[in-house]
Amino acid sequence: MNFQLKTFNELTTTELYNILKERTDVFVVEQNCPYPEVDGKDLQSYHLFKEENGEIIAYLRILPPGVSYPELSIGRVLVKEDYRGQKLARQMMEEALSYITSELKETTVKIQAQHYLEDFYCSFGFEVISEVYLEDGIPHIDMLLKK
């Protein structure tokens, strides 16, 4: 099954529920990190996801310029635990970056990445632009991609 890309208003209530459930399962429960997962940015974002048997198995959101940073941003990148190791995150990032450059005509993308994923994001051309810092108790770095 292919990835789907939708604006907030195009999501069905079931899709939205499943997205928020999976984001909470990964970022709050699995990472033991209580923080406000529903942050108000979803309303302005594009949601790229893959479903299998009615479950969200991979997800990210694309935030237009001015929502999180002056630059366009990608965030909440996840792959459901049972589906990791299948290169879904790579496929999803390729899909997102293709959409960003071809459809949104954006040439710069800023992300806040968990530090252990530095090599993964560097493989797409992102460069580290900050020192390592703690965000909700997890080491992060800021990264920038310029095409």
Side-chain angles (χ1 to χ4, degrees):
M1 176 180 271
N2 294 327
F3 286 94
Q4 298 181 62
L5 181 77
K6 297 185 177 187
T7 64
F8 182 83
N9 289 332
E10 293 170 331
L11 293 170
T12 67
T13 54
T14 301
E15 289 168 336
L16 177 60
Y17 175 86
N18 289 337
I19 287 168
L20 295 175
K21 179 190 178 308
E22 198 55 42
R23 284 183 5 194
T24 302
D25 287 350
V26 170
F27 297 117
V28 178
V29 178
E30 182 181 323
Q31 295 182 358
N32 193 26
C33 185
Y35 76 103
E37 173 49 37
V38 179
D39 59 6
K41 296 179 182 180
D42 291 317
L43 299 166
Q44 301 167 71
S45 298
Y46 297 92
H47 303 270
L48 180 64
F49 59 97
K50 191 168 197 168
E51 287 181 299
E52 190 167 290
N53 300 321
E55 290 184 314
I56 300 296
I57 63 168
Y59 171 85
L60 64 71
R61 69 180 179 183
I62 300 168
L63 301 102
V67 176
S68 284
Y69 304 107
E71 304 87 359
L72 179 138
S73 182
I74 295 173
R76 300 294 201 266
V77 180
L78 71 83
V79 174
K80 188 176 178 91
E81 188 172 19
D82 294 345
Y83 295 87
R84 293 178 190 157
Q86 299 177 26
K87 302 202 182 295
L88 286 172
R90 176 159 299 283
Q91 294 169 19
M92 187 169 53
M93 283 296 295
E94 289 169 353
E95 184 94 9
L97 293 171
S98 174
Y99 181 78
I100 287 164
T101 56
S102 66
E103 299 297 320
L104 299 179
K105 308 294 187 212
E106 293 288 338
T107 57
T108 305
V109 181
K110 184 174 182 180
I111 62 173
Q112 180 187 54
Q114 292 188 14
H115 185 242
Y116 82 95
L117 292 168
E118 178 179 344
D119 290 343
F120 172 73
Y121 289 113
C122 283
S123 74
F124 294 101
F126 283 89
E127 296 181 3
V128 177
I129 59 168
S130 75
E131 297 295 321
V132 176
Y133 59 91
L134 290 180
E135 178 77 20
D136 297 316
I138 298 171
H140 280 75
I141 50 175
D142 291 340
M143 302 183 81
L144 197 65
L145 173 67
K146 290 188 176 188
K147 294 242 177 190

